[in-house]
Amino acid sequence: MKNKSAQKHKKNTGPLDHVNRCNQVDDARRVSEEKYATVVENAPDGISIIQDEIIKFANKRQAEISGYTVEELIGKSIYDLVPPDFVSVIKERVALREQGKDIPEIFHVRLLCKDGTIKETESSTKLIQYESRPASMAITRNIAERKREEEKLQQTINDLKKAVNTTVQVLVSALESRDPYTAGHQSRSANLACAIAAEMGLDQEKIEGIRMAGVIHDIGKLSVPVEVLAKPTKLSELGFSLVKEHARSGYEMLKNVESPWPLAQIVHQHHERMDGSGYPRNLKGDEIIMEARILAVADVVEAMASHRPYRSAWSIKIALEEIDKNKGILYDNTVADACLRLFREKSYQLA
């Protein structure tokens, strides 16, 4: 009797269980939607949904960035939110997206605000389904402050470059007055090193660093006695050991100079060789930075092709044969090939 009563009760509660389950699902959905709304409305970036090039949804941050209210943004064409000269850029991106072609995930957008001002922003978009139709969700970030900081940083770098350039010119003048042979050699080596770097496709910032290091790469010779530098005969073993110290001395002079380029390191390494036979530290291979490898080749070519107090100039042909013969051994393969192309195919002249 008891079992029958329990079974009857269980049957009668079936619909109630279903209602309870439905209520639980509704509660869970409501909590999920509330969490979603909280996240979207308090996001630090603007969020909008765009469909048929019309804004269908915008969060508070999107309104704050643009200066409009959320209500004013809804229904607005995206082309009303960029300056006239930027409309074609947006149309091109929309067309590419509609064709299914890849566009950058993050791109720059000049946002036309309600008060007529233009803000620099970054935007990223993702294809979504909105109300059962294709749409784009756009995330917009105001980067005006970051741009200001970048401009300040660039100005600091420019000021630093000017200061370094002034320091370099002082050092060049000091060496030139003491040893005119070395000063001319540095200038010509720097020009060739920059040409090699450009031939290799290095960026302009690296090339500028190579130029700066090139014009002072022998600055350590300020610590070498003049009578040794200007000696008209072949140097003794002692004299040569003094000259070899110039790479280390140059590093010591430059190591505390603030610079956007590794000047001290380049100067320190420009007599190192790929097989470890160079000086002062017998570095080899990847231990030698690329800027120093480039300067090493330029230094050898210019030195061999120019007059020295202790010998007449050799021909540029002999200098290039030295590079060709020892590429991959003493000199970096890529650097050597670039140097050889300059002279043999592009008629480069030392100047």
Side-chain angles (χ1 to χ4, degrees):
M1 188 75 180
K2 264 185 175 182
N3 287 339
K4 285 184 180 180
S5 176
Q7 287 173 1
K8 184 178 179 182
H9 179 71
K10 190 172 182 181
K11 285 180 183 178
N12 289 341
T13 59
L16 183 59
D17 287 342
H18 177 70
V19 170
N20 287 336
R21 282 196 298 273
C22 288
N23 287 339
Q24 287 172 356
V25 170
D26 288 341
D27 288 344
R29 183 184 296 116
R30 186 163 49 252
V31 170
S32 176
E33 289 173 351
E34 285 174 358
K35 286 180 180 177
Y36 166 79
T38 300
V39 169
V40 170
E41 289 306 322
N42 291 282
D45 295 329
I47 301 174
S48 57
I49 294 175
I50 301 161
Q51 198 172 60
D52 301 325
E53 300 169 22
I54 300 296
I55 295 176
K56 299 291 187 176
F57 168 85
N59 70 346
K60 288 189 297 186
R61 182 57 182 150
Q62 184 68 45
E64 290 169 1
I65 294 172
S66 64
Y68 290 95
T69 63
V70 169
E71 291 73 22
E72 288 171 330
L73 281 176
I74 305 301
K76 209 166 190 59
S77 166
I78 57 174
Y79 302 119
D80 292 335
L81 294 173
V82 295
D85 62 352
F86 206 76
V87 169
S88 60
V89 176
I90 299 300
K91 284 188 174 181
E92 183 182 1
R93 291 189 182 280
V94 170
L96 289 172
R97 174 58 64 82
E98 288 175 349
Q99 293 165 22
K101 294 183 178 177
D102 289 336
I103 62 172
E105 288 187 7
I106 300 175
F107 50 90
H108 168 245
V109 174
R110 299 176 67 225
L111 182 69
L112 180 62
C113 300
K114 184 178 180 179
D115 63 5
T117 59
I118 294 173
K119 285 183 180 175
E120 304 295 331
T121 69
E122 272 182 355
S123 184
S124 61
T125 60
K126 183 176 178 63
L127 289 175
I128 62 169
Q129 287 291 314
Y130 181 71
E131 295 180 347
S132 303
R133 291 184 56 228
S136 292
M137 180 175 69
I139 309 294
T140 302
R141 175 169 294 176
N142 185 357
I143 59 170
E145 184 60 33
R146 192 178 82 195
K147 294 282 281 186
R148 281 193 291 272
E149 290 302 318
E150 286 174 353
E151 287 168 3
K152 282 183 188 176
L153 177 60
Q154 189 58 53
Q155 185 58 51
T156 301
I157 291 172
N158 291 341
D159 291 343
L160 182 57
K161 286 180 179 179
K162 286 178 184 176
V164 171
N165 192 53
T166 301
T167 302
V168 164
Q169 292 309 314
V170 169
L171 293 172
V172 169
S173 297
L175 187 57
E176 191 171 39
S177 63
R178 192 166 179 269
D179 178 16
Y181 284 105
T182 297
H185 161 69
Q186 288 187 136
S187 176
R188 290 186 294 273
S189 296
N191 290 340
L192 175 54
C194 289
I196 292 171
E199 177 69 16
M200 291 170 60
L202 269 62
D203 64 63
Q204 194 54 47
E205 188 67 17
K206 268 197 186 305
I207 294 173
E208 181 62 16
I210 289 168
R211 184 191 72 78
M212 201 67 77
V215 296
I216 54 167
H217 71 271
D218 282 339
I219 198 65
K221 287 183 179 178
L222 283 171
S223 65
V224 179
V226 175
E227 55 270 25
V228 173
L229 293 175
K231 189 177 181 183
T233 57
K234 188 175 179 180
L235 291 173
S236 65
E237 190 174 330
L238 175 60
F240 185 54
S241 67
L242 287 173
V243 171
K244 284 173 68 176
E245 279 298 307
H246 79 278
R248 196 188 310 275
S249 298
Y251 170 76
E252 291 298 326
M253 291 178 187
L254 296 169
K255 67 180 182 181
N256 294 321
V257 174
E258 286 191 38
S259 166
W261 310 288
L263 299 182
Q265 201 174 356
I266 299 171
V267 167
H268 203 190
Q269 294 182 9
H270 78 277
H271 278 291
E272 301 289 356
R273 297 294 181 255
M274 297 300 289
D275 63 355
S277 64
Y279 64 86
R281 293 188 293 161
N282 304 114
L283 301 180
K284 61 182 178 180
D286 291 340
E287 294 174 330
I288 308 167
I289 62 173
M290 182 55 71
E291 294 93 327
R293 298 186 213 180
I294 292 170
L295 187 54
V297 169
D299 182 45
V300 167
V301 171
E302 202 292 323
M304 290 184 69
S306 298
H307 175 75
R308 283 291 182 270
Y310 53 87
R311 63 158 173 81
S312 299
W314 290 324
S315 69
I316 190 67
K317 181 183 176 183
I318 292 174
L320 295 179
E321 285 173 355
E322 157 65 17
I323 300 301
D324 206 358
K325 180 178 70 175
N326 287 299
K327 69 177 183 178
I329 304 169
L330 303 181
Y331 315 114
D332 179 275
N333 263 314
T334 305
V335 176
D337 285 339
C339 178
L340 294 171
R341 282 197 306 274
L342 283 175
F343 284 97
R344 293 174 176 174
E345 299 174 22
K346 302 187 177 181
S347 304
Y348 183 85
Q349 298 286 319
L350 284 171

